[in-house]
Amino acid sequence: MKKIFIGFILLLFILPAVSQDAKDTAKEPEKKAGEAELVSQSIYTEITLEDFETSQYTNTNLKFIQAKEQEGSLAIRDQYPAEFNNSKKYLGVKLFAKKGDTFQIFPPKPLEIKKYCKSISIWVYGKKFAGEISIMLQDVTGETHRITFGNTAFLGWKKLTVNLEPKIKQQDAYLEKEKALKILHIQYRPANDSMHPEWQYFYIDDITATVREKYKDRQSDDW
């Protein structure tokens, strides 16, 4: 009986220590994940390519194949902008279009990314029209890629983000020669349930990119 009592007392001291070790072990992966996230944040930063605050967009920036029933209009607006980056203005897009049409919005200034780009984001206000929004991106070799953000079948402001694939060439063939990614235009493809045109609306605010410095060749070959 005495041995049982002594064993019980030892368990009272051992169990809390084992429990604490288990808790510390469980926390360890969480700590490492947090550290990795901090390292990633310190390498990459988000830059603004277009905030629509000073750029002038008119109907001349909107291109499409003119058909009998197609119409389109652009306007800079200032009511209810996206709640990001202290936004004051944004771009309104109004289209009378049907499935199969393609509309292109050309920026009035070059939208270039000179650093290495991880992802591109665009703030979009959807009004439940299931059209597809994308951008045409030119890489450092001159090849163009269509980057699709998805459809606008939602209501309100939403930040749409796409990670760039490795096939989009960003690193210069010669590291000392700097080249940039270029956003050529924004593209919208309606997706009506019927083939008849209808008025569709959506709004665009800040276009941003998550970037880091490109790798530089700092090694001297003079030896």
Side-chain angles (χ1 to χ4, degrees), residues 26-201:
K27 288 180 180 178
E28 189 62 26
E30 194 175 314
K31 181 181 179 183
K32 287 182 178 178
E35 287 174 352
E37 185 178 352
L38 288 173
V39 170
S40 177
Q41 289 175 354
S42 66
I43 295 174
Y44 287 94
T45 57
E46 189 173 31
I47 61 172
T48 301
L49 305 174
E50 175 63 280
D51 58 10
F52 301 99
E53 299 297 326
T54 58
S55 300
Q56 298 298 316
Y57 283 79
T58 66
N59 290 346
T60 59
N61 298 102
L62 180 64
K63 308 292 183 185
F64 55 94
I65 299 173
Q66 186 65 50
K68 183 178 180 181
E69 297 178 308
Q70 284 179 317
E71 293 183 52
S73 179
L74 300 178
I76 295 294
R77 297 168 57 88
D78 59 7
Q79 297 294 314
Y80 310 111
E83 295 181 359
F84 173 78
N85 202 23
N86 196 29
S87 178
K88 299 290 190 301
K89 298 179 181 179
Y90 58 96
L91 181 66
V93 185
K94 178 170 65 174
L95 307 170
F96 189 66
K98 63 182 183 300
K99 187 175 183 179
D101 295 338
T102 299
F103 292 80
Q104 299 171 336
I105 303 169
F106 288 82
K109 65 178 183 181
L111 302 183
E112 296 185 344
I113 307 171
K114 295 182 179 180
K115 296 183 178 182
Y116 185 88
C117 182
K118 178 183 178 183
S119 64
I120 296 176
S121 300
I122 182 170
W123 282 88
V124 177
Y125 190 105
K127 303 200 80 169
K128 295 189 176 182
F129 296 104
E132 180 190 77
I133 190 164
S134 60
I135 61 171
M136 291 300 294
L137 184 70
Q138 185 182 77
D139 67 21
V140 299
T141 68
E143 185 177 354
T144 57
H145 307 265
R146 191 165 74 92
I147 310 299
T148 303
F149 291 90
N151 65 54
T152 57
F154 53 86
L155 181 62
W157 284 111
K158 187 175 182 180
K159 185 179 183 181
L160 306 178
T161 301
V162 174
N163 291 325
L164 300 192
E165 297 180 3
K167 67 179 181 180
I168 300 173
K169 303 300 182 184
Q170 301 192 55
Q171 194 66 45
D172 310 321
Y174 300 97
L175 297 181
E176 69 277 3
K177 188 175 181 181
E178 292 188 0
K179 291 185 178 181
L181 297 176
K182 297 178 182 178
I183 296 179
L184 303 179
H185 63 260
I186 303 165
Q187 189 166 280
Y188 180 79
R189 294 179 176 179
N192 309 18
D193 292 332
S194 69
M195 290 301 294
H196 298 290
E198 62 181 29
W199 283 106
Q200 303 180 40
Y201 305 83

